[in-house]
Amino acid sequence: MSTLFFFQAIRLFGLALVAGWITYSHAFVEPIPMPENLVECYEFRTHNISITEIPSQDINMFCITQFLYSTTDLRPQRPIANETILYAQELFRRLVNKHEHHRRTKRQFNPMVRREIRTLSRDEWNTFTARLNELKQRPVGDIYGYDALADIHRLVENSAHNGPNFLGWHRIYLALLEIALGVPVPYWDSSLDYYMDQPTDSIVWTAEFFGNGFGAVEEGPFQWMTPEGVPLVRNIGNDGTLINSDVIAAVLSRRFHRQIVEPSQNPRFSLEVHHNGPHVWMDGQMSAPATAAQDPVFFMHHAFIDYIWSLFRSLQRANGINPEEDYPRTRVRMHQPWDRMIPFGLRNFHGYSNFFESLNVYDPSPRCPDCGGNPYLECGGDRCRSRVALSPSRPSEFGFVGGVPSSFGGQARSQATLQRTGALPIGRRFQAFFRDPRVRGDTMPNAPSNRIRRSVSDNKENVTKDNKDSAQISKPYQNTFVLNGVSNVDLWVFIPVRIIFERPPEIQFESYLIQNGTLVKSSDMFSPAEFKGLKVEIKRKMPATYKKCHVSGSGASKVYVQTDGIDYSGRYKDYAVVDERLPFSSSMTYIGAKNPTEGASQFYMTAYDSCGRVCRPQCLINGIYRPCSGAFRISTSLPKMYGITYEDAVKGIWKKGQGLLSEANASEIPVTFLCEIQSTWPWSP
């Protein structure tokens, strides 16, 4: 199988258009050059790095995030009320006055103690969640206290992200919530879930802790509606990654703050880059800076990031470095030491002060051999990890009923089923530079957790029957429909997208040939002949995948496609299902973009397979598919290459009158993604 053959097939496909359909010189969805900021990021991140070293989706997600941060002023959002800003400033004054009172009266100050969520007693957890719900109902202007505090995060998409101020600003932000609640914010050590066979099965995604992790939150203490009138939504495990011990060790191996903050030439040591992973892994509101704080898991995740930072600062002191004097010099706008910290009236370097660090202390996270005797945790080898959440009808040997230790008196709340939600006003999203490879594959009820592994570093390791995976292929994706802070599906149109997928050669399936009555297990029947005897060439050419890249036993796999607004705030994401058994397979999906009836707009479309390999876009230009940037302008010019509704988009390429076409009308498909085996970065000229 060769790349030349692959492109010849596409060329013939384009020539068929010329013979069978009308050729257009102007398209409703027309390709435009890639924004310069994206071009510069891709060039910087791939400079002197081979495609075999880092999965291309890691770089893709990072650069999209950087682009959205740097161009945030181009995308309108829901306005933030003056009362909201005044509320945050009042909480900050209360924070400072509380500790000034202790100083004046010479009374001993006792810092708040933050503990891992699973180490709290039921009374402590219930008190924390009850006060969150009380704050959620406390009026502040036209909204409520928790929502007002969450809105403050939208003020600082530039000034508190992608630079050194990230650490200090979020430390103060956490302290404001504690002042509002009167109790410490516990931290969620997501590494305790990372080392599970399937982190989506963790007990934290039950009514006992965070509530359900898929779709609208219908159980647990956070069955909330957002200010935009939609429920909290999560799609855990579809992308991104949780924190792991290697990440923590890498950060703690550095000595100076400049080595662990953005901008960083080595994302392996960047605490902010690693913090993005759980945001993306949770998806829903948590995946976008503008709405992340609407889900209270945000604060528990950031408390864990602050915990890691506290460990780093302790190591600095042990090495004779004063952390509060180590604010990095930077050229990043709004992150320089003397820049104003919005909206607190401080300077950025104040966030690194020992005073704000002294407000809290951390109990260490549970560790083996006994995980602190915690009933929610167990030792897996030498690592402490979360227990699996069981169904209500499956009590376990640990005395769990419905995923809750019976000794803790846990009880899931009965809920009325919420309507299936569509639009979520979340705007642009966090992008994780790193990604957990277990966010793909099959998820079948009670399926064994046998993982199929693809190895890039060692292509001699074949997929075996002992490595079957159970993951996400059967889970639906709850999409979002948000434009500039307004939740309304009518603001969107749907664009047909074709996926052409080339089978990665390292996959093996348990389907064998029989020759002369003998079952031949040396290779499965789907292995293309071109790969035989070319192991050295394949190993040299194969782009990097995630370290544990899984496939389903059936061959079904997801290729994700997403759009991000360039001049509007909004993202749409969906997937096509392809067959990894076949040398080539083709599939369709329909992706949302801004409805151009209110004016033309621009967006950026990307696609990647479930092993983290970015696909190359091919755009319909004069009836032939040609390489393009993936950036588009959408307008009301003819021909119409979209659907006002999802149904319209499907019918537009498959229906002629009342009849069903034998194949899709390709003149109405503006973009095809080629998910092929590559030897160069997908953004290379």
Side-chain angles (χ1 to χ4, degrees):
M1 182 185 308
S2 67
T3 302
L4 176 61
F5 171 79
F6 197 63
F7 278 101
Q8 285 176 338
I10 297 301
R11 182 175 181 275
L12 291 174
F13 180 67
L15 292 175
L17 291 179
V18 178
W21 286 289
I22 298 175
T23 299
Y24 296 103
S25 60
H26 184 272
F28 176 79
V29 180
E30 59 180 338
I32 60 175
M34 184 184 294
E36 290 184 5
N37 294 21
L38 273 171
V39 173
E40 292 172 358
C41 182
Y42 289 136
E43 290 178 349
F44 177 73
R45 290 292 174 179
T46 59
H47 183 65
N48 291 330
I49 298 177
S50 167
I51 192 173
T52 62
E53 296 179 49
I54 300 175
S56 49
Q57 176 61 1
D58 285 347
I59 294 174
N60 190 44
M61 290 188 293
F62 181 83
C63 286
I64 290 173
T65 298
Q66 300 297 80
F67 170 74
L68 294 175
Y69 280 140
S70 64
T71 59
T72 185
D73 294 339
L74 298 177
R75 288 174 290 277
Q77 297 182 19
R78 178 171 55 84
I80 298 175
N82 288 335
E83 292 88 346
T84 291
I85 298 173
L86 293 174
Y87 176 66
Q89 292 171 338
E90 173 59 25
L91 288 176
F92 180 73
R93 281 192 292 269
R94 287 168 53 188
L95 173 69
V96 174
N97 290 341
K98 173 183 176 181
H99 299 287
E100 179 63 17
H101 173 73
H102 280 84
R103 188 189 66 80
R104 288 197 310 265
T105 59
K106 298 183 179 180
R107 295 174 57 187
Q108 181 178 359
F109 170 69
N110 295 317
M112 287 192 172
V113 180
R114 292 177 180 163
R115 298 163 55 197
E116 211 281 329
I117 56 170
R118 281 156 284 209
T119 67
L120 300 180
S121 68
R122 283 295 90 194
D123 285 344
E124 289 171 328
W125 174 255
N126 291 339
T127 297
F128 172 66
T129 58
R131 295 198 183 188
L132 279 170
N133 277 280
E134 179 187 353
L135 185 62
K136 178 71 173 173
Q137 301 173 35
R138 188 184 307 165
V140 173
D142 292 333
I143 58 175
Y144 297 95
Y146 184 90
D147 295 328
L149 195 56
D151 267 356
I152 292 298
H153 196 251
R154 293 198 287 127
L155 281 175
V156 296
E157 291 188 46
N158 277 338
S159 63
H161 299 89
N162 195 31
N165 190 41
F166 166 78
L167 294 172
W169 190 91
H170 284 84
R171 170 164 283 178
I172 295 173
Y173 191 43
L174 279 165
L176 295 192
L177 179 62
E178 289 178 330
I179 284 293
L181 299 178
V183 294
V185 174
Y187 63 92
W188 170 39
D189 180 349
S190 59
S191 71
L192 299 176
D193 307 288
Y194 177 89
Y195 288 104
M196 299 177 65
D197 286 339
Q198 203 50 253
T200 56
D201 292 337
S202 171
I203 199 169
V204 302
W205 305 110
T206 66
E208 190 73 358
F209 287 101
F210 299 155
N212 55 287
F214 293 100
V217 179
E218 300 176 345
E219 62 183 27
F222 306 129
Q223 302 165 55
W224 292 358
M225 301 295 287
T226 69
E228 294 78 18
V230 293
L232 292 179
V233 166
R234 300 160 182 163
N235 293 297
I236 60 173
N238 278 285
D239 203 353
T241 181
L242 301 177
I243 303 293
N244 63 64
S245 60
D246 291 339
V247 163
I248 299 171
V251 172
L252 298 183
S253 71
R254 306 298 93 183
R255 294 189 63 184
F256 299 99
H257 282 119
R258 67 175 181 270
Q259 298 170 305
I260 68 165
V261 300
E262 287 299 302
S264 170
Q265 289 189 329
N266 192 335
R268 179 169 173 255
F269 304 114
S270 171
L271 188 51
E272 182 175 358
V273 164
H274 291 303
H275 127 277
N276 287 357
H279 277 279
V280 177
W281 189 89
M282 276 188 63
D283 203 76
Q285 283 88 353
M286 265 286 281
S287 67
T291 58
Q294 291 178 351
D295 193 322
V297 177
F298 168 95
F299 288 97
M300 289 172 270
H301 166 54
H302 271 271
F304 183 50
I305 299 301
D306 191 77
Y307 171 41
I308 297 172
W309 187 31
S310 294
L311 296 176
F312 179 85
R313 290 168 66 102
S314 295
L315 291 174
Q316 282 192 307
R317 293 188 182 94
N319 287 308
I321 302 168
N322 185 350
E324 69 178 357
E325 296 177 355
D326 188 40
Y327 191 97
R329 296 180 180 272
T330 181
R331 295 182 180 179
V332 179
R333 188 174 68 90
M334 305 179 75
H335 281 263
Q336 296 177 18
W338 287 92
D339 285 343
R340 179 173 172 265
M341 184 186 285
I342 301 171
F344 306 127
L346 301 173
R347 302 299 177 181
N348 287 337
F349 71 87
H350 288 133
Y352 282 50
S353 73
N354 294 329
F355 167 74
F356 288 113
E357 183 181 23
S358 71
L359 303 181
N360 299 92
V361 295
Y362 286 91
D363 272 2
S365 187
R367 293 292 180 263
C368 287
D370 62 353
C371 297
N374 191 291
Y376 295 108
L377 302 169
E378 64 182 358
C379 280
D382 60 348
R383 299 186 188 278
C384 195
R385 65 188 183 192
S386 181
R387 291 196 188 277
V388 172
L390 302 178
S391 64
S393 60
R394 293 179 59 203
S396 78
E397 60 183 303
F398 304 107
F400 283 40
V401 179
V404 179
S406 55
S407 61
F408 271 56
Q411 182 177 357
R413 303 180 183 183
S414 60
Q415 301 300 332
T417 302
L418 296 177
Q419 276 191 333
R420 189 174 186 84
T421 183
L424 292 181
I426 67 173
R428 64 187 177 86
R429 302 188 178 195
F430 288 98
Q431 297 288 343
F433 194 91
F434 299 100
R435 187 170 181 271
D436 189 337
R438 292 167 294 189
V439 299
R440 65 167 320 243
D442 282 337
T443 298
M444 299 297 293
N446 304 325
S449 178
N450 302 317
R451 287 172 286 178
I452 292 179
R453 177 174 181 176
R454 299 179 187 171
S455 173
V456 175
S457 60
D458 183 5
N459 278 292
K460 294 181 293 184
E461 181 178 1
N462 292 326
V463 175
T464 70
K465 65 182 180 181
D466 296 326
N467 282 333
K468 294 291 178 63
D469 183 34
S470 61
Q472 303 282 118
I473 193 70
S474 66
K475 293 292 184 182
Y477 183 86
Q478 177 58 64
N479 220 315
T480 64
F481 300 88
V482 53
L483 265 164
N484 301 334
V486 178
S487 178
N488 189 342
V489 69
D490 295 336
L491 300 175
W492 295 81
V493 295
F494 296 89
I495 301 167
V497 176
R498 185 190 303 275
I499 302 297
I500 298 179
F501 185 83
E502 180 182 14
R503 174 194 171 170
E506 76 273 26
I507 305 176
Q508 293 279 332
F509 294 95
E510 296 174 39
S511 184
Y512 305 111
L513 297 171
I514 297 178
Q515 293 180 335
N516 300 321
T518 301
L519 197 66
V520 180
K521 292 189 175 183
S522 57
S523 65
D524 67 65
M525 66 173 292
F526 301 106
S527 297
E530 289 88 340
F531 293 151
K532 295 179 180 178
L534 297 178
K535 292 184 178 180
V536 175
E537 180 181 344
I538 291 170
K539 185 173 182 179
R540 177 186 60 80
K541 182 183 178 184
M542 279 295 297
T545 64
Y546 300 115
K547 291 181 179 179
K548 295 179 181 178
C549 185
H550 312 315
V551 296
S552 69
S554 68
S557 181
K558 292 179 178 178
V559 172
Y560 292 89
V561 185
Q562 69 183 47
T563 60
D564 289 280
I566 293 175
D567 56 6
Y568 65 88
S569 177
R571 166 177 289 180
Y572 191 95
K573 182 177 179 180
D574 212 331
Y575 58 86
V577 176
V578 296
D579 189 343
E580 291 186 317
R581 300 171 305 160
L582 307 181
F584 300 105
S585 66
S586 176
S587 186
M588 292 291 304
T589 188
Y590 303 85
I591 302 301
K594 178 181 178 292
N595 190 326
T597 55
E598 298 299 323
S601 60
Q602 299 176 357
F603 62 88
Y604 183 53
M605 184 184 295
T606 60
Y608 58 95
D609 75 4
S610 296
C611 281
R613 294 180 279 222
V614 174
C615 309
R616 297 181 190 265
Q618 298 269 311
C619 298
L620 189 62
I621 302 172
N622 292 326
I624 298 178
Y625 286 101
R626 304 180 187 276
C628 58
S629 70
F632 297 90
R633 180 179 183 270
I634 185 170
S635 69
T636 54
S637 301
L638 293 176
K640 180 182 175 183
M641 305 175 76
Y642 75 102
I644 290 292
T645 66
Y646 192 91
E647 181 182 4
D648 289 341
V650 175
K651 287 182 176 180
I653 64 168
W654 287 105
K655 286 276 191 176
K656 184 177 182 180
Q658 298 300 315
L660 183 65
L661 298 175
S662 59
E663 60 180 305
N665 181 357
S667 66
E668 298 295 337
I669 304 174
V671 59
T672 292
F673 280 97
L674 307 183
C675 304
E676 58 174 333
I677 307 305
Q678 304 169 20
S679 58
T680 60
W681 294 106
W683 313 283
S684 301

